[in-house]
Amino acid sequence: SQTIHQWPATLVQPVGSPLSLECTVEGTSNPNLYWYRQAAGRGLQLLFYSIGIDQISSEVPQNLSASRPQDRQFILSSKKLLLSDSGFYLCAWSDPGQGSKTEAFFGQGTRLTVV
Amino acid sequence: AQSVSQHNHHVILSEAASLELGCNYSYGGTVNLFWYVQYPGQHLQLLLKYFSGDPLVKGIKGFEAEFIKSKFSFNLRKPSVQWSDTAEYFCAVSEFGNEKLTFGTGTRLTIIP
């Protein structure tokens, strides 16, 4: 069966420090991968999605970047964190074989607090 | 760009009351529709989904949703809610042929025993 791992679960970082959140998927190959940010009153905002290695789409201009160094690994990064980067970050995957009909499967999320 | 609206931000109901949560989307073409639920302390999970066919779809835990194409809506319903339904509910839409999944802002549902 497929599983998604996201870490760390919580993170407190000072303003100006770098960020690296990692997400890996097991039990499937060439998944679609997503990074969302969940903020109160704003729902889930899609930050990045990827349909393959080095194929990453950015949805909103921001202080963050994403990379997919391996087929089932998706990394969310920042060179210098801002206070406004605080939030709950969710990684998700979907089966590309189902096209747009596939549901997304979510990780447990990372609570990031920038201080 | 695709957008999804959930106008109910916080709904408070007593147990056994009926529930309807609204969801409207903006895309005029063929869409795939989803409702996700996030129970306190748990990860997001799929409640139900609609791709084609019967516009009334049934999901887990007694939930159902109706797709009304003319209204661009996919409202979630449950005839009689339970305390355990307390959670946050998200509507999501993807356009046919596009794997990008767009979520609404979510509705927090609180059930009073």
Side-chain angles (χ1 to χ4, degrees), chain A residues 34 36 38 59 100-101 104, chain B residues 32 36 38 51 94 99 101:
Chain A
Y34 309 83
Y36 286 89
Q38 185 177 11
E59 289 301 298
S100 59
K101 293 185 178 180
Chain B
N32 305 299
Y36 284 81
Q38 188 173 33
F51 300 144
S94 66
E99 291 88 348
L101 193 58

Side-chain angles (χ1 to χ4, degrees), chain B residues 52-69:
Chain B
S52 62
D54 188 345
L56 184 64
V57 293
K58 296 190 185 298
I60 60 172
K61 303 186 180 184
F63 285 91
E64 64 180 31
E66 185 176 13
F67 170 50
I68 302 179
K69 188 175 182 179

